[in-house]
Amino acid sequence: MHSIMIICPENSLLKESERWLSKYGFQINTSQSFEQANKYYDLSAFDLMLVDQAAIESLEHPASEIPETPKHIVLDAKPSLSTGVNSMAEGAVYYLPLPTDTETLLKHVVNTLEQRDQEKATTTPETLASNPVLFAASEREEALPLGTPGSGIIGQCPPMLELFSDMRKVAATDVTVLIRGESGTGKELVAKALHNLSQRHDYPIISVNCAAIPENLIESELFGHEKGAFTGATTAHDGLIVAADKGTLFLDEIGELPLEAQARLLRVLQEGEIRRVGATQSTHVNIRLITATHRNLFEMVKNGQFREDLYYRLYVMELLLPPLRDRGEDISILAKALLEKTCLKHHRPPVPYSKTFDKAIRSHDWPGNVRELENAIERAIILSPMDRVEAANLKLASQHHTKGKSSPASTESDINATLPEGTTLDDYFKHFVLTHQHKMTETQLAHSLGISRKSLWERRQKLAIPKKVTTEK
């Protein structure tokens, strides 16, 4: 049984999680402050801490007063990006808003405990005794063997083995890395593995999705700003790049970075200096940059959408992630691992991985890659009986196309046949939605694509896909 310490004021919304976490089998203790927790408990004996940001704000020196062990998750009733950056820099595994729904919090609790258990398994006293220099690069490879669940990246097919070989060579250096691959292939996992295998592993890795930050805020969030630099800048703010100092900065969807921010990033790479928005002086930073994209940056350079000088600064080492459909037996290996992980997450007994289930998994094209596979398996576990998992409950797009009296023209193979060779994932998504929205609800469309309704709505907005027109009779 895992033990969790909750540190929050008496009136905190976080206190409500004590009751339902106990029902999931966790041993819960609560304290109203770090002072009270340290007085009555040995915090290092706990597996995880859930901490209200209000309890952290009462500390005089948070960085030194928050213990390194156990791992902790910070929850904040007044969330902000700057507070989140500071929390992650001070050791928080996750930073979440309050209130947070039970499913989201449970998911992050389980993920953190899994990380802890994996780290504990790979750093036993026997391992340390036989490897006194465990944290040298070669020893870290042994502690986190690429391709196994412990490393976070699973795969044994030839393209993945080639990728792992390149990663081992690249991790020992400080070169800039560009990771390319379709959405959902696991580019962030590769970035984190490179960081964990590098000499910078003791310092933070700061992950930023460039597409998720509004264009008018991205320079401030990345590079920081001075007090009064713009309306609303009531205090000075260190950006995400400073938070990654001595560690790794991972910029996902780098192709979405505005041209003005690209110019600033180029200076960071060329001079190792950063200047806040509104500042007159520069600050030295020491970061290792890893970027990722599913877009063709070279085409963007030709179209004037991406700076050519920055492109060649980023294109020092390229790592290519193969789509799931090209990974052969890895699909079954991944499905088995995700099935086991999902059963654990939902406190279900392990279920057998049947041939029928595997056949359904292997017959799908997986346009959403590993992310779609994970969503489909979670859907199947939730909908299936406790003692087994049923292939029909995967509710894959190909199943919808072949059910009932649908015409041959609506099958998956025919849909793909109408698309030109080299079609992007966005093109596939748009084509699928426009083709099926007249006969499927938004929920059915989302399930077929292996995404949530919210994600479907966001993709509609991004790709300007019109919703079906309904007429009143």
Side-chain angles (χ1 to χ4, degrees):
M1 179 185 295
H2 286 103
S3 58
I4 299 175
M5 167 60 75
I6 297 177
I7 301 178
C8 64
E10 187 64 31
N11 60 349
S12 171
L13 293 171
L14 180 56
K15 194 167 179 61
E16 297 177 5
S17 63
E18 176 185 3
R19 174 177 49 81
W20 61 264
L21 280 173
S22 298
K23 290 183 178 180
Y24 280 107
F26 297 106
Q27 179 182 330
I28 308 297
N29 292 87
T30 62
S31 297
Q32 294 183 20
S33 65
F34 277 94
E35 181 182 7
Q36 185 184 75
N38 284 313
K39 182 177 180 180
Y40 294 104
Y41 302 97
D42 175 11
L43 291 181
S44 64
F46 288 88
D47 299 309
L48 174 66
M49 289 192 302
L50 300 180
V51 185
D52 190 315
Q53 175 63 22
I56 295 176
E57 290 172 355
S58 67
L59 298 175
E60 188 174 352
H61 303 291
S64 59
E65 295 182 61
I66 299 176
E68 292 185 5
T69 56
K71 293 177 180 293
H72 67 282
I73 297 173
V74 174
L75 297 101
D76 194 348
K78 299 178 180 178
S80 70
L81 193 55
S82 58
T83 306
V85 170
N86 292 335
S87 297
M88 301 292 281
E90 289 167 2
V93 182
Y94 296 108
Y95 175 80
L96 303 173
L98 274 177
T100 294
D101 64 88
T102 56
E103 183 179 351
T104 299
L105 182 55
L106 181 62
K107 175 183 177 181
H108 287 83
V109 166
V110 171
N111 287 346
T112 306
L113 291 172
E114 284 180 352
Q115 291 176 24
R116 174 194 173 276
D117 292 344
Q118 290 168 1
E119 291 170 5
K120 190 174 181 180
T122 57
T123 55
T124 60
E126 293 78 8
T127 307
L128 292 171
S130 61
N131 278 306
V133 287
L134 179 64
F135 297 115
S138 59
E139 282 73 15
R140 283 198 301 279
E141 287 180 27
E142 295 175 10
L144 295 169
L146 295 173
T148 65
S151 68
I153 308 174
I154 302 174
Q156 297 297 326
C157 67
M160 291 300 288
L161 293 178
E162 183 178 351
L163 172 68
F164 296 152
S165 176
D166 290 342
M167 287 174 63
R168 293 185 185 97
K169 297 170 186 175
V170 172
T173 73
D174 256 354
V175 300
T176 301
V177 180
L178 174 62
I179 305 170
R180 286 205 302 116
E182 294 179 3
S183 295
T185 49
K187 295 186 286 294
E188 185 171 358
L189 292 177
V190 171
K192 288 181 177 178
L194 286 173
H195 173 77
N196 291 334
L197 292 172
S198 75
Q199 298 296 327
R200 296 175 179 263
H201 69 278
D202 285 332
Y203 296 94
I205 174 172
I206 302 296
S207 299
V208 184
N209 187 326
C210 297
I213 304 177
E215 187 170 335
N216 62 328
L217 294 178
I218 196 161
E219 287 191 64
S220 168
E221 297 302 339
L222 280 178
F223 305 98
H225 62 254
E226 291 293 310
K227 180 179 179 180
F230 51 85
T231 303
T234 56
T235 60
H237 165 63
D238 281 335
L240 296 167
I241 293 177
V242 170
D245 191 29
K246 298 182 181 178
T248 302
L249 177 68
F250 172 57
L251 296 181
D252 197 4
E253 299 300 348
I254 186 70
E256 309 304 321
L257 197 66
L259 289 170
E260 294 81 0
Q262 292 177 27
R264 283 180 172 269
L265 181 60
L266 182 63
R267 179 171 177 79
V268 174
L269 294 177
Q270 289 177 332
E271 308 296 337
E273 291 181 347
I274 184 171
R275 189 166 63 194
R276 291 176 173 180
V277 175
T280 57
Q281 294 184 333
S282 299
T283 303
H284 179 76
V285 288
N286 175 14
I287 62 167
R288 196 260 181 92
L289 181 65
I290 300 176
T291 62
T293 184
H294 72 281
R295 302 183 66 177
N296 187 326
L297 292 185
F298 188 69
E299 286 296 321
M300 293 182 68
V301 169
K302 291 196 296 184
N303 295 332
Q305 298 172 301
F306 201 85
R307 291 181 64 104
E308 184 176 12
D309 47 6
L310 178 59
Y311 170 76
Y312 286 111
R313 277 281 177 177
L314 299 179
Y315 195 78
V316 178
M317 177 60 64
E318 182 182 61
L319 296 177
L320 296 175
L321 262 170
L324 184 58
R325 59 184 171 273
D326 294 340
R327 291 179 57 180
E329 293 297 324
D330 278 3
I331 299 176
S332 297
I333 297 173
L334 275 164
K336 289 177 184 177
L338 290 171
L339 188 65
E340 182 178 334
K341 177 183 176 182
T342 306
C343 286
L344 180 65
K345 172 184 173 181
H346 291 284
H347 301 280
R348 299 276 293 266
V351 293
Y353 185 83
S354 66
K355 290 183 178 179
T356 303
F357 191 77
D358 185 64
K359 183 178 179 181
I361 291 287
R362 297 293 295 272
S363 64
H364 189 57
D365 198 40
W366 300 111
N369 293 293
V370 180
R371 186 182 295 122
E372 183 190 0
L373 174 62
E374 186 173 12
N375 290 341
I377 287 179
E378 183 164 21
R379 188 160 56 238
I381 284 292
I382 292 171
L383 297 176
S384 296
M386 292 291 288
D387 60 342
R388 64 185 184 278
V389 61
E390 297 175 346
N393 287 327
L394 288 165
K395 297 190 179 298
L396 301 174
S398 55
Q399 294 175 347
H400 287 289
H401 302 152
T402 55
K403 273 186 178 181
K405 299 180 180 180
S406 57
S407 65
S410 65
T411 65
E412 181 81 2
S413 59
D414 290 333
I415 290 170
N416 289 336
T418 65
L419 297 173
E421 187 176 355
T423 297
T424 66
L425 183 59
D426 283 347
D427 291 336
Y428 178 94
F429 183 93
K430 189 170 186 176
H431 182 86
F432 181 87
V433 172
L434 291 173
T435 303
H436 294 86
Q437 65 179 359
H438 69 284
K439 57 185 177 183
M440 296 171 69
T441 66
E442 291 294 287
T443 299
Q444 289 172 331
L445 281 171
H447 281 175
S448 299
L449 290 163
I451 59 178
S452 65
R453 279 179 60 102
K454 180 175 181 291
S455 295
L456 174 60
W457 180 85
E458 290 172 344
R459 294 290 290 277
R460 275 187 181 277
Q461 304 303 307
K462 178 183 176 182
L463 301 176
I465 305 174
K467 294 190 72 170
K468 61 183 176 183
V469 177
T470 56
T471 57
E472 295 184 3
K473 292 185 178 180

